[in-house]
Amino acid sequence: MHNKIADILQKSVLSKNDLIILLSANKDNAEIIFNKAAEIKTKYIGNYTYFRGLIELSNICTRNCLYCGIRSGNKNAERYMISDEEVFNSVKYALDRHWGSVVIQSGERSDTAFIDKVEHILRQITQMCEKKPGITLSLGEQKTDTFKRWFDAGATRYLLRIESSNPDIFKKIHPQDKLHNLERRIENLYTLQKLGYITGTGVMIGLPFQTIEDLANDLLFMQKLDIDMIGMGPYIEHEDTPLYQYRDLLLPIEERYFLSLKMIAVLRILMKDVNIASSTALQAINPDGREEGIRVGANVIMPNITPVRYHKSYNLYKGKPDIPPETDNYIKILEKQIALAGDKVGYGDKGDPKHFFRRTVER
Ligand code: 5AD
């Protein structure tokens, strides 16, 4: 097996079967894959980790995804929307520390008040900055016109996770209604690319019913879409969600974690110059999880700069509320760990994915 993996890592084109073999590697063999991913990262994008200040704008959501703790049907979630002023204070925190960019994430809404609010926030942030800042939105599916308005107001990147590229799994983890539709989600990704957004997607790893082959297909899906940035992480069950009933089908949490590290490394080997986030879900399983993600190929960390009093409410999965706030002290520790993982923090740089500037697929 050892040799087989070494042979695959020599190839310039990876087949689905190759990906399956890599994703199935045991602990010892995985180190060979992790080392290769680190080598590719150094060669194609350099040893920098970029911070994105993550602002969780609101947990009010019109969707009812069966895995997610802030689904509209969860009556136990205490809903909030942070004020514009709080957003600007958080942005200032990130800018004062020379982080290249911020991410605004929220439960999904497409009403006029929400669209206007986001547009206003974007214009204000752009005004606050001397240079055009990197602003990523992660606000779910929207109409083309909305994406365009937000782009014109200053957003540069958009992250819309596909969750799973397998239509059967997608159906099993979402309600059966018009709102939750895989094809439309993919259409949204094409629209974002056409509009000029640096476009990101991602999946959850270790979902019930998901196989290694599904994950290999997810990676090939990202490659086919020629995506610029990826945020993916382990699925972590939440007891207030319908998918919790399948918890006995899940891989043990450590294996979901290990599989997520392999997904990051294999994606780095497959797509080379994309941005890959080391997800908060990794950190929810292992306090050093994000740094480990960096060691195996990721190059983005999103410290949570949402005002602390809201943290407990943006509760997507078990363990998330227990993550410590990202104070300056905590960031110092994070920096040290990033250095141990072989990277420097890319201060003063937006850290746009190199891939975006040489995207091969014309839209
Ligand atoms: N476990 C892991 N990730 C989750 N997300 C939502 N619920 C969970 C969960 N239970 C992820 C989804 C979504 C992002 C905001 O959080 O991928 O797109």
Side-chain angles (χ1 to χ4, degrees), residues 47 74 102 117 121 134 149 157 171 177 186 199 233 236 239 260 262 267 276 284-286 301 314 338 347:
N47 288 109
N74 182 9
V102 293
K117 180 181 170 93
I121 288 173
R149 271 177 62 188
R157 312 177 179 136
K171 270 200 196 115
D177 60 23
I186 297 173
T199 305
I236 305 173
E239 56 201 7
S260 301
K262 287 190 281 186
L267 178 67
I276 306 178
I285 298 180
N286 174 350
I301 284 186
Y314 206 83
I338 289 170
Y347 287 118

Coordinates of all heavy atoms in Angstrom, one line a residue, residues 47 74 102 117 121 134 149 157 171 177 186 199 233 236 239 260 262 267 276 284-286 301 314 338 347:
N47 N 4.5 29.6 2.1 CA 4.1 29.2 3.4 C 3.5 30.3 4.2 O 4.1 30.8 5.2 CB 5.4 28.6 4.1 CG 5.7 27.2 3.5 OD1 6.7 27.0 2.9 ND2 4.8 26.3 3.8
N74 N -35.6 24.9 14.5 CA -35.1 24.7 15.9 C -35.5 25.8 16.8 O -34.9 26.8 16.9 CB -33.5 24.6 15.9 CG -33.0 24.3 17.2 OD1 -33.7 24.0 18.2 ND2 -31.6 24.4 17.4
V102 N -12.1 40.1 5.8 CA -13.1 39.6 6.7 C -14.2 38.8 6.0 O -14.3 38.8 4.8 CB -13.9 40.8 7.4 CG1 -13.0 41.6 8.3 CG2 -14.5 41.7 6.4
K117 N -29.5 45.8 4.2 CA -28.6 45.9 5.3 C -27.2 45.4 4.9 O -26.2 46.1 5.2 CB -29.1 45.0 6.5 CG -28.2 45.1 7.8 CD -28.8 44.2 8.9 CE -27.8 44.0 10.0 NZ -27.9 45.0 11.1
I121 N -23.8 47.7 4.8 CA -22.6 47.3 5.6 C -21.4 47.2 4.7 O -20.3 47.7 5.0 CB -22.8 45.9 6.3 CG1 -23.8 46.0 7.5 CG2 -21.5 45.3 6.8 CD1 -24.2 44.7 8.1
G134 N -10.5 42.8 1.3 CA -11.1 41.5 0.9 C -12.3 41.2 1.8 O -12.2 41.2 3.0
R149 N -25.6 43.2 -6.7 CA -25.7 44.4 -5.8 C -24.6 44.3 -4.8 O -23.9 45.3 -4.5 CB -27.0 44.5 -5.1 CG -28.0 45.3 -6.0 CD -29.4 45.4 -5.3 NE -29.4 46.0 -4.0 CZ -30.5 46.0 -3.2 NH1 -31.6 45.5 -3.6 NH2 -30.4 46.7 -2.0
R157 N -15.5 38.1 -2.6 CA -15.5 36.6 -2.6 C -16.9 36.1 -2.1 O -17.5 36.8 -1.2 CB -14.4 36.1 -1.7 CG -13.1 36.7 -1.9 CD -12.1 36.2 -0.9 NE -10.8 36.7 -1.0 CZ -10.0 37.2 -0.1 NH1 -10.5 37.1 1.2 NH2 -8.9 37.6 -0.3
K171 N -30.3 15.1 -0.9 CA -31.8 15.0 -0.6 C -32.0 14.5 0.9 O -32.9 15.0 1.6 CB -32.4 13.9 -1.5 CG -32.9 14.5 -2.8 CD -33.9 13.6 -3.4 CE -34.2 14.0 -4.9 NZ -33.7 13.0 -5.8
D177 N -38.3 20.0 -0.3 CA -39.1 21.1 -0.8 C -38.4 21.9 -1.9 O -37.2 21.7 -2.1 CB -39.6 22.0 0.3 CG -38.5 22.7 1.1 OD1 -37.4 22.8 0.5 OD2 -38.6 23.1 2.3
I186 N -25.8 24.7 -7.5 CA -24.7 24.6 -8.5 C -24.8 25.8 -9.5 O -23.8 26.5 -9.8 CB -24.7 23.3 -9.2 CG1 -24.4 22.2 -8.2 CG2 -23.6 23.3 -10.3 CD1 -24.5 20.8 -8.8
T199 N -14.7 32.5 -6.0 CA -15.9 31.7 -5.7 C -15.4 30.5 -4.9 O -14.5 29.8 -5.3 CB -16.6 31.2 -6.9 OG1 -17.0 32.4 -7.7 CG2 -17.9 30.5 -6.6
G233 N -15.2 20.7 6.3 CA -14.8 20.2 7.6 C -15.7 19.0 8.0 O -16.7 18.7 7.3
I236 N -20.5 17.3 12.4 CA -20.6 17.1 13.8 C -22.1 17.1 14.2 O -22.8 18.1 14.0 CB -19.9 18.2 14.7 CG1 -18.4 18.2 14.2 CG2 -19.9 17.9 16.1 CD1 -17.6 19.4 14.8
E239 N -27.9 17.7 18.5 CA -29.0 16.9 19.1 C -30.4 17.6 18.8 O -31.4 16.9 18.8 CB -28.8 16.7 20.6 CG -28.7 17.9 21.4 CD -28.0 17.6 22.7 OE1 -27.6 16.4 22.9 OE2 -27.9 18.5 23.6
S260 N -11.1 14.3 7.5 CA -11.1 15.8 7.1 C -9.7 16.2 6.7 O -9.5 17.0 5.8 CB -11.7 16.6 8.1 OG -13.0 16.2 8.4
K262 N -7.3 14.4 5.7 CA -6.9 13.8 4.4 C -7.6 14.5 3.2 O -7.0 14.7 2.2 CB -7.3 12.3 4.4 CG -6.3 11.4 5.3 CD -6.5 9.9 5.1 CE -7.7 9.4 5.9 NZ -7.9 8.0 5.8
L267 N -7.0 17.5 -1.6 CA -7.4 18.6 -2.4 C -6.3 19.5 -2.7 O -6.2 20.0 -3.9 CB -8.5 19.4 -1.6 CG -9.0 20.7 -2.4 CD1 -9.8 20.3 -3.6 CD2 -9.9 21.5 -1.5
I276 N -7.5 27.1 0.8 CA -8.3 26.1 1.6 C -8.3 26.6 3.1 O -7.3 26.8 3.7 CB -7.6 24.7 1.5 CG1 -7.4 24.3 0.1 CG2 -8.4 23.7 2.3 CD1 -6.7 22.9 -0.1
A284 N -13.4 22.4 16.7 CA -14.4 21.9 17.7 C -14.1 20.5 18.2 O -14.5 20.1 19.3 CB -15.8 22.0 17.1
I285 N -13.4 19.7 17.3 CA -13.1 18.3 17.7 C -11.7 18.3 18.5 O -11.6 17.6 19.4 CB -13.0 17.4 16.5 CG1 -14.4 17.4 15.8 CG2 -12.5 16.0 16.8 CD1 -14.4 16.5 14.5
N286 N -10.8 19.1 18.0 CA -9.5 19.1 18.6 C -9.0 20.6 18.7 O -9.0 21.3 17.7 CB -8.5 18.3 17.6 CG -7.1 18.4 18.0 OD1 -6.7 19.1 18.9 ND2 -6.2 17.6 17.4
I301 N -7.2 30.7 8.0 CA -7.8 30.4 9.3 C -8.8 31.6 9.5 O -8.4 32.8 9.2 CB -6.8 30.3 10.4 CG1 -6.1 28.9 10.4 CG2 -7.5 30.5 11.8 CD1 -5.2 28.6 11.5
Y314 N -24.7 31.1 17.8 CA -24.4 30.6 16.4 C -23.9 29.2 16.5 O -22.7 28.8 16.3 CB -23.3 31.5 15.7 CG -23.4 31.5 14.2 CD1 -24.3 32.3 13.6 CD2 -22.6 30.6 13.5 CE1 -24.4 32.3 12.2 CE2 -22.7 30.6 12.1 CZ -23.6 31.4 11.5 OH -23.7 31.4 10.1
I338 N 1.0 28.2 14.3 CA 1.1 28.3 12.8 C 2.6 28.2 12.4 O 2.9 27.5 11.4 CB 0.4 29.6 12.3 CG1 -1.1 29.5 12.5 CG2 0.8 29.9 10.9 CD1 -1.9 30.8 12.2
Y347 N 0.3 38.8 7.2 CA -0.3 40.1 7.6 C -0.2 41.2 6.4 O 0.8 41.1 5.7 CB 0.4 40.7 8.8 CG 0.1 39.9 10.1 CD1 1.1 39.3 10.8 CD2 -1.2 39.9 10.6 CE1 0.8 38.6 12.0 CE2 -1.5 39.2 11.7 CZ -0.5 38.6 12.4 OH -0.9 37.9 13.6

